[in-house]
Amino acid sequence: MNKEYDVLIVGTGAAGLYGALQFPEDIRVLLISKRELTLSNSSLAQGGVACVLDKINDDFALHIADTLTAGKNKNNADAVEVLVKEGPGDVLRIRDLGVDFDLDENGELQKTLEAGHSRHRIVHHKDSTGKAIVDALLIQVRKRPNIDICENTLLYKLDKADDGFLAGLILPSGESQVIAARYCIMASGGIGRVYQYTTNSAIATGDGITLAFMLGARIKHLSWIQFHPTAFAAENDRERFLISEAVRGEGAILLNCNGERFAEKYDPRGHLAPRDVVSNAIMQESKATNSEKFYLDITYKDPDFVRNRFPMIYENCLKENIDITKDRIPVFPCQHYLMGGIDVDLHARTTVDRLYAAGECSHTGVHGANRLASNSLLEALVFSRRAAEDIIQRRKTDSARPFPPFEEKEDLSGKPLPHGYRTEIRKIIQNVHFVIPNHDAAPASLERITEILSEIISGGYAVNRDFVEARSLATVAAIILREVVKNKTETE
Ligand SMILES: Cc1cc2nc3c(=O)[nH]c(=O)nc-3n(C[C@H](O)[C@H](O)[C@H](O)COP(=O)(O)OP(=O)(O)OC[C@H]3O[C@@H](n4cnc5c(N)ncnc54)[C@H](O)[C@@H]3O)c2cc1C
């Protein structure tokens, strides 16, 4: 690791990796990941990437319309247009970089249908598209001499310095290392771990959003959360794996605790309605039946077809002693995706000079109030490329005064953070802001979260991953609850 870089990229998911690949060899990039390089939401993505490649049966206007309808027209229409029109180019570029998308009988990219899309336009690699993307992009990134990659290296602090930033990193040894960078791209992913149950990977604690917030960046719509209706309902696991929409798309039926279909009672589209509608139907039915037991049933389909179409889901369920060709799959809604985040413009610029954000930590406005399936990998690709292009351009004219002298190491020692804060934060958010928000509980919950945050910040605790993540979860929870309280006040 050098002392100075042109660009620091925080995150090795789709946004971080693809962003890094845009820089020419004379731009020095430091790419960091707080855990292993492949531990991310990107690696978990199953369904695929939405984009218009078939200009005969599909067109941009339809993809735009589907995105706006899913987003309840609360999207940023300019950002949606950029996403939809530029997305196909990025998808073809990652195919050329080695992503092994499934092909149809004519050797063209196979396109499938997902809920909310009016056309077959999701390109995929079986049911593990995200892993295929991350693996291929990592191979490319490793070949680039201008990119230093550091795993198990956590950003705990980001300060403005003359014409750039000073970034505090916790190395795998636990020691600190401070480096300087002219530009920073946050590609640090979502916030799922602020919930008790989520489909998100363990890295999704909102660190990038918190550090950007601490720098004064505008954060928008952190309470716009997508709950996936059909996550596997394991008894204890916090991270719940997804039973993708495609399983319902292929005919699986959603049943209540009595083995009855019910989704049609709440919406004529039944269990194929958008995610928020189906999640809502499940919560209402849960109240009506006084039970949290729900199931997907695909047992009536040909077992070979089911195993071939959903190899990863089949294997994951088998590990939980559920053979989906014979048994009903227990499911329940859980946190899945963050539509809001660090507010950015069409070039992924945040409101802090030289700070960019891309992927799930950012708020481009493309998703509006509800993300259309398979639009998020697309967003990560399009806007991380745009961030890099903007940096490449402005670097030609931006001033680059020498960084002031700085200490390369900081003392991170202190008392260990007591157990319990993270559990309490998760319980509060799960109780107040899950599918149907509990507005009445929000003000008192916000007070408690504010207390927790100040105890964490001022307690003299050792700065390590546990501390940084707890601080992030408390910060994110406070921002969510402030939005919930504000919405309650506005509607009263
Ligand atoms: C189960 C599941 C299935 C999904 N399926 C699809 C799908 O089919 N199609 C689709 O479009 N979307 C899907 N999504 C959503 C999509 O995968 C994510 O929104 C997207 O991959 C996010 O990419 P990202 O690069 O922004 O973040 P991530 O891929 O989550 O990467 C975040 C990176 O930031 C790093 N990081 C975080 N904090 C720090 C720190 N403090 N210091 C250093 N590094 C840090 C992490 O280590 C990680 O490398 C799915 C999500 C899940 C959870």
Side-chain angles (χ1 to χ4, degrees), residues 10-16 32-35 37 39-42 44-48 153-155 187-190 199-200 203 207-208 242 336-337 358-361 371 374-378 380:
V10 186
T12 56
I32 62 167
S33 144
K34 70 175 170 178
R35 303 276 295 268
L37 297 176
L39 192 78
S40 63
N41 279 0
S42 295
L44 294 175
Q46 299 179 353
T153 299
L154 177 141
L155 179 74
S188 49
T199 59
N200 285 195
I203 57 88
D207 301 355
L242 198 65
H336 182 52
Y337 184 76
E360 193 165 341
C361 69
R371 171 176 71 101
S374 288
N375 264 355
S376 47
L377 285 170
L378 191 68

Side-chain angles (χ1 to χ4, degrees), residues 346-489:
L346 295 182
H347 301 282
R349 295 184 203 126
T350 71
T351 52
V352 172
D353 189 33
R354 296 175 188 247
L355 178 65
Y356 292 73
E360 193 165 341
C361 69
S362 70
H363 171 264
T364 58
V366 294
H367 305 301
N370 182 44
R371 171 176 71 101
L372 181 64
S374 288
N375 264 355
S376 47
L377 285 170
L378 191 68
E379 182 199 32
L381 298 174
V382 169
F383 287 92
S384 64
R385 171 183 50 74
R386 286 191 141 235
E389 286 170 354
D390 198 65
I391 292 172
I392 293 167
Q393 271 311 314
R394 62 176 287 191
R395 192 174 160 271
K396 293 176 187 161
T397 51
D398 271 355
S399 81
R401 289 167 287 172
F403 285 108
F406 60 89
E407 294 292 330
E408 282 180 64
K409 298 238 172 284
E410 289 190 331
D411 179 10
L412 303 181
S413 62
K415 300 179 283 184
L417 189 75
H419 290 300
Y421 282 131
R422 294 165 73 133
T423 310
E424 190 178 350
I425 295 167
R426 283 194 293 263
K427 273 196 182 145
I428 289 175
I429 292 296
Q430 186 80 29
N431 174 39
V432 178
H433 193 55
F434 181 62
V435 186
I436 302 171
N438 181 353
H439 284 115
D440 291 340
S445 302
L446 174 58
E447 227 169 85
R448 177 62 191 139
I449 291 284
T450 310
E451 253 171 47
I452 293 177
L453 181 58
S454 82
E455 283 168 25
I456 292 173
I457 289 173
S458 57
Y461 299 119
V463 178
N464 51 27
R465 181 152 64 81
D466 189 27
F467 169 83
V468 173
E469 293 187 346
R471 181 183 67 184
S472 301
L473 293 177
T475 306
V476 160
I479 301 174
I480 292 175
L481 291 176
R482 254 178 248 136
E483 286 184 18
V484 176
V485 170
K486 187 163 175 265
N487 290 346
K488 173 180 155 61
T489 323

